[in-house]
Amino acid sequence: MNTPLPSSILASPRLGQWFKIGPEPDRRIIVYSGKVELGQGISSALCQIACEELGLDPDQLTLVAGHTAYSPDERYTAGSQSIEVGGAAIRCAAACAHGLFAEAAANALGVAVDSLRVARGIFSSALTTRVTDYWALAGEVDLSQAIAADAPQRNQSDYRCVGRSLPRADLPAKLSGAAYVHDFALPGMLHARILRGGHRACHLEKHDTDALKALEGVSAVVCSGQFLAIVGPDEEALVRALAKAQKMVTWTLPEAICAQREIPESLPAMPCESSRVHLKGEAATPLVAHRARYSRPYLAHAAIGPSCAVADPGDGHLTIWSHTQGPHPLRDQIAAALGREKTAVDVVHMAGSGCYGHNGADDAAFDAAFIAQTLGVPVRVQWMREDEMSAAPFGSASLVEIDGGVDRSGRICAWHIQIWSHTHIKRPGWGGDINLLGAWAVDPPIVEPEDKDAPLPAGGGLRNSIALYDLPHQQVTHHFIGHSPLRVSALRSLGAYANIFAIESFLDELAAKTGADPVAFRLRHLADPRGRAVIEAVARLSDWPPTMPAGRGAGMGIGFGRYKNRSAYCAVVARVRVEEEVHVDKVWAVVDAGCIINPDGLMNQIEGGIIQSLSWTLKEAVTWSGSGVTSLTWDDYPILTFDEVPEVEVRLLDRTSEPSLGSGEAAAGPTAAAVGNAVAQALGIRARHLPLTAERLTRLIHESP
Amino acid sequence: MTSLHDSVTISVNGRTHEVRAYHDAPLLYLLRNDLDFKGSRFGCGTGNCGACTVMVDGHAVQSCTTPLWSVAGKEIWTIEGLAADPVGALVREAFLEEQAAQCGYCINGIIVSVTALLKCTALPGQSEISEALNRHLCRCGTHVRILRAVQRAIRLVEGSART
């Protein structure tokens, strides 16, 4: 049987694009990847995979990731694909390298290749006392050859490195001094701050370049079309000038953006294209019918550190240091936007503050590149808190309606889900488009491309819109809203967050209407053994069923999903108290992510996903007015605080013999659903519109009959 | 033409430095750019997130809203200096042992706050821990581990005091 090559290997087929022997004195092996470290621990996990196949220890390996001059193009580090796709590529390349070097070692030692063993890069055999190693054999293997698909990979039962909770190699430096792109500096580098209106559509009405340049701390002003930046040698003085500069510039919103209204009213009133995107079976007439609408607001990425980039115009060769998710697409888009050849631009990935999708990193990179090219000197652009909260793309709002019902046997017999939402993906280079805020602003501007969403099966707004349950009838209708009042793009889990919240809430509502236990009701409709296993396990872990009476201020709820219907399974139970506000006391989660590369790393991702989802679910919503975004600071856009964090207990199912499944985004939807269902039990009233703030719940209680 | 700059003497990580800046310049920029202590991080500029936290005369303060004049003559310690402090080193060790970070951007500020707390109170109560941590935000959702790391740090510091 021919094993197919991983997609990343098809794109970068030569062994030398993935693997290199480091020089003898250091005795290191260099492995290249296009998947970058975003704080999710991927660099350590990829090293573990490479070490496993190569017979090395992690301290012998250097990973070069996301450097367009050296690393393979693996597009974006996104979609929980880094282990599934990036890991598969590294495993394939490393196994191929190991096979070739083992052959060379067998020749050098005069023994059969199957008598060899390799540890710390040293090949030995019981048939000889001599040994050799990767470094001694460096000249014996042609790295320009194509990677073979059929190189034997290490047997999973022999894993020594994969499956261990090795500590992350990047953390000691980050928990010290300089480690992020924010800390990177070049000789002669100038600082820059961008002046922007409070909204993507703001028009630069009035400014006086000379007056801006006369400000103390400002050595240059870069103005092109709608793009306006002040530049100076001293960051503190420049920030001081920025406060004055902002008062000297007038912005207007040419077309009034719709003033903010509640999502359930505003989204369906916007012009949309409607289409049926999925149909299975036929609806039967239900005994118990139900219809409900759910919504989520626009959400901000809101990383703790605002976006930053450094650009060096070099000697005609532009280099940009960025915390982008996609160094190669960003390189291509910046080159295109600046009218340069790709070969005259490089993007080098460096660590940034938390990345949960398409944030301001790419825009800041363009800002730095444009200013550096204009002035001919190295430039560091640091966005301010307000920029991060208003100029970076937001996660799209969604409205989800489900119309369904249950037959006499207690089984769901009709199911129609409708989703009103914008695009959830508008990354630079996605669909070949130039999606860079600064590039849309400079003169001449790049015309902002039309919004278009990703279709199923992965989907953007449609992600996880098809319920994983075995339903005899399922219909999905997409109402795609091409124009958003706010700039939107990919935020962790895309549409899956709202869709799983809606599906899992609706299941509980149907269960309640038919007097069924929520866990039993789910299991009745789910044949997938791995799905059943996580639900059953989280029920055991949380001592399901809950014993508290409904409507008395305390409750437990469950949520389940398989991310993208093809990645990791995750079931979550939440226990809440509702006093004035929702207090989440405990969260249990069980995850099946197939073969786990680094259990502690996976645990960290799941814990983080749960807490971030709690923050979205309980607290967060972007606000705006006719003059632009108004949630600009931590006071206007509160996130979960330490006081509000529940106890979290996560169990990982051991599936070493199964392929690894992407898991970084798996917890978002199930957590929201678990909390929503727990709140419904606590209140005896269903809250369907996020976030579940005290104000919203109070209104709901007052409005309920 | 740029004209400014009082000369102010400050003590950072046990050494005195003369810096020229406005007397109300935020300490953060001086630490990062003039003295190259980049472990204190810019987050909000308004003292809300705690990423820039440093220790001044034993207290955790947000350096982004701390004017230079207010720290003249005081002892400033950043994450870089605290790595060599007996308590600071143990707190950092506890965070690494618990792998209490995702992106890690907020963590140095938290380590500084926890160090200041444990240097002042070896066995802090829940309310004191809460008070220290509630001056910090973490966006990756690493809170559970950070709380574990604080407990581990308390044990490490307690253990080192006994030996």
Side-chain angles (χ1 to χ4, degrees), chain A residues 296 396-398 400 419 421-425 453 458-465 490-502 563 669:
Chain A
R296 61 163 278 193
S396 289
S398 288
V400 183
I419 293 144
S421 195
H422 314 287
T423 183
H424 285 247
I425 307 186
D453 204 16
L462 292 170
R463 184 161 293 178
N464 280 90
S465 58
L491 173 66
R492 199 175 191 178
S493 85
L494 314 189
Y497 171 66
N499 294 334
I500 291 177
F501 171 69
Y563 188 54

Side-chain angles (χ1 to χ4, degrees), chain A residues 487-512:
Chain A
R487 182 186 179 206
V488 291
S489 188
L491 173 66
R492 199 175 191 178
S493 85
L494 314 189
Y497 171 66
N499 294 334
I500 291 177
F501 171 69
I503 289 169
E504 292 289 301
S505 296
F506 194 77
L507 278 179
D508 261 40
E509 294 192 54
L510 287 181

